Amino acid sequence: MMSLWKKDTQKYQQVFINYKFQQQLERVNKMLDWHEAEEHLKTSEQVYTVFDSAGYLVLTYDIFPLRDRLSKGERTEELWHDIMEIAI
């Protein structure tokens, strides 16, 4: 049987780990300017809409999936870099 002290210790360790993870996540999100990423994505969409079949391919296979991930609330460093790597 696990002692009450050991259960409390494990509980507080988990709380501390969650707190540290949340702090790191907040630091990453402050470094990444999501407004800038959204603007870049909108501009890219407008630019590639003008092109014929090549633009259609870029929109379908690159821009729309990124826009969908952003719209669903994903805010990862990988997504930010993927958006910002779109050439205009």
Side-chain angles (χ1 to χ4, degrees):
M1 180 181 241
M2 190 181 297
S3 71
L4 183 60
W5 179 82
K6 192 169 186 176
K7 283 184 178 179
D8 284 346
T9 302
Q10 288 177 341
K11 181 175 118 182
Y12 290 124
Q13 285 175 339
Q14 189 61 43
V15 168
F16 180 74
I17 290 169
N18 289 341
Y19 175 74
K20 284 297 196 183
F21 176 75
Q22 190 65 32
Q23 281 184 325
Q24 289 175 343
L25 187 61
E26 287 174 6
R27 258 188 269 131
V28 167
N29 280 331
K30 285 181 184 176
M31 290 187 323
L32 307 175
D33 185 354
W34 287 103
H35 179 70
E36 179 185 358
E38 288 177 32
E39 289 299 316
H40 187 74
L41 196 58
K42 287 178 188 175
T43 303
S44 301
E45 197 170 335
Q46 292 169 352
V47 168
Y48 284 101
T49 300
V50 175
F51 297 118
D52 292 330
S53 59
Y56 173 78
L57 291 174
V58 172
L59 286 168
T60 304
Y61 294 105
D62 291 329
I63 295 176
F64 291 158
L66 294 174
R67 184 187 62 193
D68 292 343
R69 288 169 56 193
L70 188 67
S71 296
K72 290 179 182 175
E74 180 180 337
R75 298 292 185 272
T76 61
E77 189 173 353
E78 177 188 0
L79 177 59
W80 190 87
H81 287 293
D82 289 346
I83 291 171
M84 298 309 287
E85 288 176 354
I86 298 172
I88 297 179

